[in-house]
Short mmCIF file of all heavy atoms in Angstrom, two decimals:
data_model
loop_
_atom_site.label_atom_id
_atom_site.label_comp_id
_atom_site.label_asym_id
_atom_site.label_seq_id
_atom_site.Cartn_x
_atom_site.Cartn_y
_atom_site.Cartn_z
N ASP K 5 48.79 6.75 -1.91
CA ASP K 5 50.01 6.16 -2.50
C ASP K 5 50.08 6.50 -3.98
O ASP K 5 49.07 6.71 -4.63
CB ASP K 5 49.97 4.63 -2.31
CG ASP K 5 50.06 4.21 -0.87
OD1 ASP K 5 51.08 4.54 -0.24
OD2 ASP K 5 49.16 3.54 -0.36
N ASP K 6 51.31 6.56 -4.49
CA ASP K 6 51.50 6.67 -5.93
C ASP K 6 51.41 5.28 -6.51
O ASP K 6 52.18 4.36 -6.15
CB ASP K 6 52.86 7.27 -6.25
CG ASP K 6 52.92 8.76 -5.94
OD1 ASP K 6 51.89 9.45 -6.08
OD2 ASP K 6 53.99 9.22 -5.55
N VAL K 7 50.45 5.07 -7.39
CA VAL K 7 50.11 3.72 -7.89
C VAL K 7 50.37 3.69 -9.42
O VAL K 7 49.85 4.54 -10.11
CB VAL K 7 48.72 3.30 -7.54
CG1 VAL K 7 48.41 1.90 -8.13
CG2 VAL K 7 48.47 3.34 -6.09
N ILE K 8 51.06 2.66 -9.86
CA ILE K 8 51.10 2.35 -11.27
C ILE K 8 50.52 0.94 -11.40
O ILE K 8 50.93 -0.02 -10.75
CB ILE K 8 52.54 2.38 -11.87
CG1 ILE K 8 53.01 3.81 -11.89
CG2 ILE K 8 52.57 1.78 -13.25
CD1 ILE K 8 54.34 4.05 -12.48
N GLY K 9 49.49 0.84 -12.24
CA GLY K 9 48.80 -0.45 -12.44
C GLY K 9 49.12 -0.97 -13.85
O GLY K 9 49.17 -0.20 -14.80
N ILE K 10 49.36 -2.27 -13.96
CA ILE K 10 49.53 -2.87 -15.26
C ILE K 10 48.63 -4.07 -15.42
O ILE K 10 48.22 -4.72 -14.46
CB ILE K 10 51.01 -3.30 -15.53
CG1 ILE K 10 51.45 -4.40 -14.58
CG2 ILE K 10 51.97 -2.08 -15.42
CD1 ILE K 10 52.86 -4.97 -14.91
N ASP K 11 48.29 -4.35 -16.66
CA ASP K 11 47.44 -5.49 -16.99
C ASP K 11 47.58 -5.82 -18.47
O ASP K 11 47.70 -4.87 -19.26
CB ASP K 11 45.98 -5.17 -16.65
CG ASP K 11 45.12 -6.42 -16.49
OD1 ASP K 11 44.90 -7.12 -17.51
OD2 ASP K 11 44.62 -6.70 -15.40
N SER K 12 47.52 -7.08 -18.82
CA SER K 12 47.56 -7.44 -20.24
C SER K 12 46.25 -7.31 -20.96
O SER K 12 46.18 -7.29 -22.16
CB SER K 12 48.06 -8.90 -20.39
OG SER K 12 47.09 -9.77 -19.88
N ILE K 13 45.16 -7.23 -20.18
CA ILE K 13 43.77 -7.15 -20.70
C ILE K 13 43.52 -8.28 -21.68
O ILE K 13 43.12 -8.05 -22.83
CB ILE K 13 43.45 -5.76 -21.29
CG1 ILE K 13 43.99 -4.63 -20.48
CG2 ILE K 13 41.90 -5.60 -21.42
CD1 ILE K 13 43.66 -3.24 -20.98
N ASN K 14 43.81 -9.52 -21.29
CA ASN K 14 43.59 -10.65 -22.21
C ASN K 14 42.09 -10.96 -22.29
O ASN K 14 41.29 -10.38 -21.55
CB ASN K 14 44.42 -11.90 -21.77
CG ASN K 14 43.96 -12.51 -20.46
OD1 ASN K 14 42.80 -12.37 -20.06
ND2 ASN K 14 44.85 -13.17 -19.79
N ASP K 15 41.75 -11.85 -23.17
CA ASP K 15 40.32 -12.11 -23.43
C ASP K 15 39.87 -13.42 -22.77
O ASP K 15 38.92 -14.06 -23.29
CB ASP K 15 40.03 -12.14 -24.92
CG ASP K 15 40.83 -13.21 -25.69
OD1 ASP K 15 41.63 -13.96 -24.98
OD2 ASP K 15 40.66 -13.36 -26.87
N TYR K 16 40.48 -13.81 -21.64
CA TYR K 16 40.02 -15.00 -20.89
C TYR K 16 38.55 -14.86 -20.56
O TYR K 16 37.83 -15.84 -20.58
CB TYR K 16 40.89 -15.16 -19.64
CG TYR K 16 40.32 -16.17 -18.64
CD1 TYR K 16 40.11 -17.48 -18.99
CD2 TYR K 16 39.98 -15.80 -17.36
CE1 TYR K 16 39.61 -18.42 -18.08
CE2 TYR K 16 39.46 -16.67 -16.44
CZ TYR K 16 39.28 -17.99 -16.81
OH TYR K 16 38.78 -18.90 -15.92
N TYR K 17 38.11 -13.69 -20.22
CA TYR K 17 36.66 -13.39 -20.07
C TYR K 17 36.39 -12.01 -20.66
O TYR K 17 37.28 -11.29 -21.09
CB TYR K 17 36.19 -13.56 -18.61
CG TYR K 17 36.85 -12.63 -17.62
CD1 TYR K 17 36.47 -11.29 -17.51
CD2 TYR K 17 37.82 -13.10 -16.72
CE1 TYR K 17 37.06 -10.44 -16.53
CE2 TYR K 17 38.40 -12.27 -15.78
CZ TYR K 17 37.99 -10.97 -15.66
OH TYR K 17 38.54 -10.12 -14.73
N ASP K 18 35.10 -11.64 -20.67
CA ASP K 18 34.60 -10.45 -21.30
C ASP K 18 35.46 -9.20 -21.05
O ASP K 18 35.56 -8.73 -19.92
CB ASP K 18 33.18 -10.21 -20.81
CG ASP K 18 32.54 -8.96 -21.44
OD1 ASP K 18 33.06 -8.50 -22.44
OD2 ASP K 18 31.52 -8.53 -20.89
N VAL K 19 36.15 -8.73 -22.09
CA VAL K 19 37.02 -7.55 -21.90
C VAL K 19 36.23 -6.29 -21.55
O VAL K 19 36.80 -5.35 -20.97
CB VAL K 19 37.93 -7.31 -23.14
CG1 VAL K 19 38.93 -8.42 -23.29
CG2 VAL K 19 37.11 -7.10 -24.40
N ASP K 20 34.96 -6.24 -21.91
CA ASP K 20 34.18 -5.06 -21.58
C ASP K 20 34.08 -4.87 -20.08
O ASP K 20 33.98 -3.73 -19.52
CB ASP K 20 32.76 -5.12 -22.17
CG ASP K 20 32.78 -4.72 -23.66
OD1 ASP K 20 33.81 -4.27 -24.13
OD2 ASP K 20 31.74 -4.91 -24.30
N LEU K 21 34.07 -6.00 -19.31
CA LEU K 21 34.07 -5.88 -17.85
C LEU K 21 35.40 -5.28 -17.38
O LEU K 21 35.45 -4.44 -16.47
CB LEU K 21 33.83 -7.23 -17.23
CG LEU K 21 33.82 -7.28 -15.68
CD1 LEU K 21 32.78 -6.37 -15.10
CD2 LEU K 21 33.57 -8.72 -15.19
N LYS K 22 36.48 -5.70 -18.00
CA LYS K 22 37.80 -5.16 -17.65
C LYS K 22 37.87 -3.63 -17.99
O LYS K 22 38.37 -2.84 -17.22
CB LYS K 22 38.91 -5.91 -18.37
CG LYS K 22 38.94 -7.40 -17.98
CD LYS K 22 40.08 -8.13 -18.66
CE LYS K 22 40.06 -9.62 -18.26
NZ LYS K 22 41.24 -10.38 -18.77
N TYR K 23 37.32 -3.30 -19.17
CA TYR K 23 37.26 -1.90 -19.54
C TYR K 23 36.38 -1.11 -18.57
O TYR K 23 36.65 0.05 -18.26
CB TYR K 23 36.77 -1.72 -20.95
CG TYR K 23 37.64 -2.30 -22.05
CD1 TYR K 23 37.10 -2.77 -23.25
CD2 TYR K 23 39.02 -2.40 -21.87
CE1 TYR K 23 37.92 -3.32 -24.23
CE2 TYR K 23 39.85 -2.94 -22.89
CZ TYR K 23 39.30 -3.35 -24.06
OH TYR K 23 40.06 -3.91 -25.04
N GLY K 24 35.30 -1.75 -18.09
CA GLY K 24 34.42 -1.12 -17.13
C GLY K 24 35.14 -0.79 -15.84
O GLY K 24 34.92 0.29 -15.24
N ARG K 25 36.00 -1.69 -15.39
CA ARG K 25 36.78 -1.44 -14.20
C ARG K 25 37.71 -0.28 -14.44
O ARG K 25 37.94 0.58 -13.57
CB ARG K 25 37.59 -2.72 -13.82
CG ARG K 25 36.71 -3.89 -13.39
CD ARG K 25 37.59 -5.11 -13.12
NE ARG K 25 36.85 -6.30 -12.81
CZ ARG K 25 37.06 -7.47 -13.34
NH1 ARG K 25 38.06 -7.62 -14.24
NH2 ARG K 25 36.32 -8.53 -13.02
N LEU K 26 38.36 -0.23 -15.58
CA LEU K 26 39.29 0.86 -15.89
C LEU K 26 38.53 2.18 -16.00
O LEU K 26 39.08 3.22 -15.59
CB LEU K 26 40.08 0.58 -17.20
CG LEU K 26 41.05 -0.58 -17.15
CD1 LEU K 26 41.65 -0.88 -18.52
CD2 LEU K 26 42.13 -0.34 -16.10
N LYS K 27 37.32 2.16 -16.51
CA LYS K 27 36.48 3.37 -16.53
C LYS K 27 36.20 3.82 -15.11
O LYS K 27 36.29 5.01 -14.81
CB LYS K 27 35.21 3.07 -17.29
CG LYS K 27 34.22 4.28 -17.31
CD LYS K 27 32.99 3.89 -18.16
CE LYS K 27 31.99 5.02 -18.15
NZ LYS K 27 31.32 5.19 -16.88
N GLU K 28 35.84 2.88 -14.26
CA GLU K 28 35.54 3.19 -12.83
C GLU K 28 36.78 3.79 -12.12
O GLU K 28 36.65 4.58 -11.21
CB GLU K 28 35.07 1.91 -12.12
CG GLU K 28 34.66 2.11 -10.69
CD GLU K 28 33.35 2.90 -10.53
OE1 GLU K 28 32.64 3.06 -11.54
OE2 GLU K 28 33.06 3.28 -9.40
N SER K 29 37.94 3.37 -12.64
CA SER K 29 39.27 3.84 -12.05
C SER K 29 39.66 5.21 -12.61
O SER K 29 40.66 5.78 -12.20
CB SER K 29 40.39 2.85 -12.31
OG SER K 29 40.08 1.61 -11.80
N GLY K 30 38.90 5.72 -13.59
CA GLY K 30 39.22 6.98 -14.21
C GLY K 30 40.25 6.89 -15.31
O GLY K 30 40.69 7.90 -15.88
N VAL K 31 40.62 5.63 -15.69
CA VAL K 31 41.59 5.39 -16.77
C VAL K 31 40.94 5.60 -18.14
O VAL K 31 41.57 6.14 -19.08
CB VAL K 31 42.23 4.03 -16.64
CG1 VAL K 31 43.09 3.66 -17.86
CG2 VAL K 31 43.05 3.93 -15.36
N LEU K 32 39.68 5.21 -18.27
CA LEU K 32 38.95 5.35 -19.52
C LEU K 32 37.74 6.25 -19.32
O LEU K 32 37.15 6.28 -18.25
CB LEU K 32 38.45 3.99 -20.03
CG LEU K 32 39.52 2.94 -20.34
CD1 LEU K 32 38.82 1.60 -20.69
CD2 LEU K 32 40.41 3.39 -21.49
N LYS K 33 37.38 7.02 -20.37
CA LYS K 33 36.16 7.81 -20.31
C LYS K 33 34.90 6.98 -20.58
O LYS K 33 33.82 7.27 -20.07
CB LYS K 33 36.26 8.97 -21.32
CG LYS K 33 37.28 10.01 -20.97
CD LYS K 33 37.30 11.14 -21.98
CE LYS K 33 38.32 12.19 -21.60
NZ LYS K 33 38.39 13.30 -22.63
N SER K 34 35.10 5.93 -21.40
CA SER K 34 33.97 5.05 -21.71
C SER K 34 34.52 3.63 -21.93
O SER K 34 35.71 3.43 -22.20
CB SER K 34 33.18 5.51 -22.93
OG SER K 34 33.99 5.29 -24.12
N ILE K 35 33.68 2.66 -21.81
CA ILE K 35 34.06 1.25 -22.07
C ILE K 35 34.59 1.08 -23.46
O ILE K 35 35.54 0.39 -23.73
CB ILE K 35 32.89 0.30 -21.77
CG1 ILE K 35 32.66 0.25 -20.23
CG2 ILE K 35 33.17 -1.10 -22.32
CD1 ILE K 35 31.46 -0.60 -19.81
N LYS K 36 33.96 1.78 -24.43
CA LYS K 36 34.35 1.65 -25.82
C LYS K 36 35.80 2.17 -26.05
O LYS K 36 36.48 1.67 -26.95
CB LYS K 36 33.37 2.46 -26.71
CG LYS K 36 33.53 2.17 -28.19
CD LYS K 36 32.31 2.62 -28.94
CE LYS K 36 32.43 2.32 -30.45
NZ LYS K 36 32.55 0.86 -30.70
N ASP K 37 36.24 3.11 -25.22
CA ASP K 37 37.62 3.62 -25.38
C ASP K 37 38.66 2.56 -25.09
O ASP K 37 39.84 2.73 -25.46
CB ASP K 37 37.82 4.78 -24.41
CG ASP K 37 37.11 6.05 -24.86
OD1 ASP K 37 36.70 6.14 -26.03
OD2 ASP K 37 36.86 6.91 -23.98
N GLY K 38 38.23 1.47 -24.47
CA GLY K 38 39.21 0.43 -24.17
C GLY K 38 39.85 -0.18 -25.40
O GLY K 38 40.99 -0.63 -25.36
N GLU K 39 39.14 -0.19 -26.50
CA GLU K 39 39.64 -0.75 -27.74
C GLU K 39 40.85 0.01 -28.25
O GLU K 39 41.62 -0.46 -29.09
CB GLU K 39 38.53 -0.79 -28.79
CG GLU K 39 37.33 -1.64 -28.40
CD GLU K 39 36.17 -1.44 -29.37
OE1 GLU K 39 36.35 -0.72 -30.38
OE2 GLU K 39 35.10 -1.98 -29.08
N ASN K 40 40.99 1.26 -27.80
CA ASN K 40 42.08 2.14 -28.29
C ASN K 40 43.27 2.22 -27.37
O ASN K 40 44.14 3.03 -27.61
CB ASN K 40 41.48 3.54 -28.54
CG ASN K 40 40.33 3.53 -29.55
OD1 ASN K 40 40.39 2.83 -30.52
ND2 ASN K 40 39.30 4.29 -29.24
N ILE K 41 43.32 1.43 -26.32
CA ILE K 41 44.47 1.47 -25.39
C ILE K 41 45.74 0.99 -26.13
O ILE K 41 45.75 -0.08 -26.76
CB ILE K 41 44.24 0.61 -24.15
CG1 ILE K 41 43.07 1.09 -23.33
CG2 ILE K 41 45.51 0.53 -23.29
CD1 ILE K 41 42.71 0.24 -22.13
N GLU K 42 46.76 1.80 -26.07
CA GLU K 42 48.02 1.45 -26.74
C GLU K 42 48.89 0.65 -25.80
O GLU K 42 48.97 0.96 -24.59
CB GLU K 42 48.79 2.69 -27.19
CG GLU K 42 48.08 3.48 -28.30
CD GLU K 42 48.89 4.70 -28.74
OE1 GLU K 42 50.13 4.57 -28.88
OE2 GLU K 42 48.28 5.76 -28.96
N TYR K 43 49.60 -0.31 -26.32
CA TYR K 43 50.48 -1.17 -25.52
C TYR K 43 51.64 -0.36 -24.98
O TYR K 43 52.29 0.42 -25.71
CB TYR K 43 50.96 -2.36 -26.34
CG TYR K 43 51.77 -3.36 -25.55
CD1 TYR K 43 51.15 -4.29 -24.69
CD2 TYR K 43 53.16 -3.37 -25.61
CE1 TYR K 43 51.89 -5.19 -23.98
CE2 TYR K 43 53.91 -4.28 -24.87
CZ TYR K 43 53.25 -5.20 -24.06
OH TYR K 43 53.97 -6.08 -23.31
N ASN K 44 51.96 -0.56 -23.68
CA ASN K 44 53.11 0.05 -23.03
C ASN K 44 53.13 1.57 -23.04
O ASN K 44 54.18 2.21 -23.03
CB ASN K 44 54.43 -0.50 -23.64
CG ASN K 44 55.62 -0.30 -22.70
OD1 ASN K 44 55.47 -0.33 -21.47
ND2 ASN K 44 56.79 -0.01 -23.27
N LYS K 45 51.95 2.17 -23.07
CA LYS K 45 51.85 3.61 -23.02
C LYS K 45 51.03 4.00 -21.80
O LYS K 45 49.88 3.66 -21.66
CB LYS K 45 51.17 4.16 -24.29
CG LYS K 45 51.12 5.68 -24.35
CD LYS K 45 50.54 6.19 -25.61
CE LYS K 45 50.50 7.72 -25.64
NZ LYS K 45 49.92 8.24 -26.91
N PRO K 46 51.65 4.77 -20.83
CA PRO K 46 50.96 5.13 -19.59
C PRO K 46 49.71 5.97 -19.87
O PRO K 46 49.73 6.86 -20.73
CB PRO K 46 51.99 5.91 -18.80
CG PRO K 46 53.33 5.53 -19.41
CD PRO K 46 53.04 5.24 -20.86
N ILE K 47 48.66 5.69 -19.10
CA ILE K 47 47.44 6.47 -19.19
C ILE K 47 47.19 7.04 -17.78
O ILE K 47 47.10 6.28 -16.78
CB ILE K 47 46.20 5.64 -19.59
CG1 ILE K 47 46.45 4.96 -20.95
CG2 ILE K 47 44.96 6.48 -19.66
CD1 ILE K 47 45.37 3.98 -21.35
#
């Protein structure tokens, strides 16, 4: 399927875990790259 995923990545719990999931999905190269995600810009 063609999938577009969205998320606010709020800090309700550890954002590094959220970045880890995005890394596992191929969206990020590393967990640290999560800090550089731009709002409303497709990756």
Side-chain angles (χ1 to χ4, degrees):
D5 293 299
D6 287 327
V7 180
I8 291 182
I10 65 174
D11 199 294
S12 67
I13 320 181
N14 68 26
D15 61 357
Y16 167 60
Y17 60 77
D18 181 16
V19 293
D20 280 352
L21 179 57
K22 299 182 180 186
Y23 295 151
R25 294 178 186 133
L26 293 175
K27 177 178 178 288
E28 184 71 12
S29 304
V31 171
L32 299 175
K33 291 182 179 178
S34 71
I35 288 175
K36 192 162 182 61
D37 288 341
E39 299 169 6
N40 302 318
I41 296 176
E42 294 182 42
Y43 186 77
N44 198 35
K45 183 176 180 180
I47 304 172

